[in-house]
Amino acid sequence: MSARSRTAEQAEDGAGSWKASLPCSKAEAEALQEDISPLALLDEPPVLMSSEPDPARPDEWRLDAYFAAEPTAEMLAMLQALAPSSAGAAPTVERVEARDWVTLSQQGLEPIQAGHFFVHTPAHRDKVPADSIAFEIDAGRAFGTGQHETTSGCLVALSKLKDQGIRVSNLLDLGTGTGLLAFAAMRLWPTARAAASDIDPVSIEVTEENAAINQIRVGRGPGHVELAVAAGLEHGRLRQRAPYDLIIANILAGPLIELAPSVSKALEAGGRLILAGLLDSHAGAVAAAYRRHGLMLGFRVQHGEWPTLVMRKRKSLGWR
């Protein structure tokens, strides 16, 4: 059962909610749009909402966490870890009227138009443009709702590859989060075989739920996405499916560099690699790690301080 349905049932039953609040920076608030781990792994994860209390102080934000029951000291410590700038400030905790906080938080998430894609929450189903490829992604338990620049940058990169006439028959979304990027690639190349993996089992559960919502077929054949819980390419099925002609890896700079040998090996000669989850200051090191394994930079998508790198494996080297 999803966090959203649990929260809705609690509201209907009249149970109370608890709110814990902390000051945070704007950067910390933006990061929370995509990743609430380890709180996301709780049996009843809280709903996080961030706000800018005073527009005259644009870097001073507030983080509110809504829990189904009174949060423990361990939960509050997890919350505080999401806002390092608040070190030394104890969270304020209070009991509040029970409401469906997930639905309310989603109402504040505006739809995203990125490349050929329109990504929205259930609250904006009536706003889908007729000429867009639309996906409904619930905000909540996993990274990759389209709100963050890293995810939207990948959507733009996929759109550009399609517009360039690139053909894809076998793709991998490494660190899939919500499944959105795998789904987007499948809409552009509907006959391709796809795999989506994540180190977090919750993400794979969320991806399966989102696949059903967006009418994406789960399985091993053409036009299907195969799901796997795996760290990097450490899964028999992911290795068996190689070589891939498209790999998407929207993770973090450190893991991207660490995975460069195995990811490059799994990419076929001439194949494309989309790298995201890195800041401008990390782009050079990440690109260099993959150049050492025979890849060259094709183009770059820039959203704020978050670049998306699209690289291609040199044909002369082969994938093995």
Side-chain angles (χ1 to χ4, degrees), residues 71-83:
T72 65
E74 182 181 6
M75 292 175 182
L76 293 177
M78 292 180 186
L79 178 66
Q80 193 133 28
L82 299 178

Side-chain angles (χ1 to χ4, degrees), residues 228-269:
V229 177
L233 284 148
E234 295 178 5
H235 190 287
R237 282 295 303 162
L238 299 183
R239 292 194 296 269
Q240 289 169 17
R241 294 175 63 105
Y244 301 93
D245 48 16
L246 174 64
I247 298 178
I248 309 160
N250 181 15
I251 324 176
L252 293 170
L256 287 176
I257 292 173
E258 182 180 348
L259 290 169
S262 59
V263 169
S264 301
K265 180 180 178 181
L267 190 66
E268 76 173 15

Side-chain angles (χ1 to χ4, degrees), residues 6-289:
R6 275 197 301 267
T7 308
E9 287 176 358
Q10 289 155 357
E12 291 168 1
D13 292 341
S17 299
W18 291 79
K19 181 174 82 168
S21 302
L22 273 174
C24 69
S25 68
K26 180 181 179 181
E28 290 165 347
E30 290 176 342
L32 292 170
Q33 295 177 3
E34 296 290 347
D35 188 4
I36 67 170
S37 181
L39 288 170
L41 301 179
L42 296 175
D43 290 338
E44 293 185 327
V47 174
L48 301 185
M49 300 175 70
S50 58
S51 58
E52 181 183 18
D54 184 357
R57 298 180 177 180
D59 194 50
E60 297 180 12
W61 284 54
R62 187 181 72 232
L63 169 60
D64 297 317
Y66 294 89
F67 294 85
E70 184 175 6
T72 65
E74 182 181 6
M75 292 175 182
L76 293 177
M78 292 180 186
L79 178 66
Q80 193 133 28
L82 299 178
S85 65
S86 69
T92 60
V93 181
E94 59 181 318
R95 189 160 190 170
V96 295
E97 177 187 358
R99 303 179 72 182
D100 186 352
W101 295 110
V102 172
T103 298
L104 291 175
S105 69
Q106 289 178 356
Q107 289 173 351
L109 289 178
E110 290 299 316
I112 295 297
Q113 182 81 55
H116 297 305
F117 304 100
F118 184 84
V119 187
H120 63 93
T121 64
H124 297 92
R125 289 172 181 160
D126 58 341
K127 295 185 178 180
V128 177
D131 59 346
S132 294
I133 301 172
F135 292 104
E136 179 178 309
I137 303 292
D138 253 343
R141 296 190 296 161
F143 178 101
T145 61
Q147 300 292 325
H148 198 275
E149 287 90 341
T150 59
T151 308
S152 58
C154 290
L155 293 173
V156 171
L158 287 168
S159 299
K160 287 190 173 184
L161 288 176
K162 179 65 175 181
D163 291 344
Q164 291 173 1
I166 302 303
R167 296 181 180 181
V168 174
S169 61
N170 186 26
L171 68 96
L172 169 62
D173 180 11
L174 191 65
T176 192
T178 62
L180 173 60
L181 297 178
F183 302 164
M186 292 181 69
R187 286 283 190 263
L188 295 177
W189 297 281
T191 61
R193 295 170 64 245
S197 68
D198 202 287
I199 194 172
D200 183 359
V202 173
S203 289
I204 296 304
E205 292 176 8
V206 170
T207 297
E208 192 163 15
E209 293 170 3
N210 287 334
I213 292 169
N214 291 283
Q215 299 181 330
I216 299 292
R217 294 180 293 176
V218 175
R220 295 187 176 184
H224 292 69
V225 59
E226 182 176 359
L227 307 180
V229 177
L233 284 148
E234 295 178 5
H235 190 287
R237 282 295 303 162
L238 299 183
R239 292 194 296 269
Q240 289 169 17
R241 294 175 63 105
Y244 301 93
D245 48 16
L246 174 64
I247 298 178
I248 309 160
N250 181 15
I251 324 176
L252 293 170
L256 287 176
I257 292 173
E258 182 180 348
L259 290 169
S262 59
V263 169
S264 301
K265 180 180 178 181
L267 190 66
E268 76 173 15
R272 267 74 175 183
L273 173 63
I274 298 177
L275 301 170
L278 54 143
L279 292 164
D280 274 328
S281 57
H282 303 144
V286 171

Side-chain angles (χ1 to χ4, degrees), residues 278-316:
L278 54 143
L279 292 164
D280 274 328
S281 57
H282 303 144
V286 171
Y290 286 86
R291 279 199 299 269
R292 286 193 288 270
H293 294 278
L295 278 79
M296 56 185 178
L297 183 64
F299 64 88
R300 174 175 175 148
V301 176
Q302 190 74 34
H303 281 185
E305 59 182 345
W306 302 92
T308 298
L309 308 180
V310 180
M311 306 191 76
R312 186 180 185 189
K313 189 168 184 176
R314 297 178 186 274
K315 289 186 177 182
S316 61

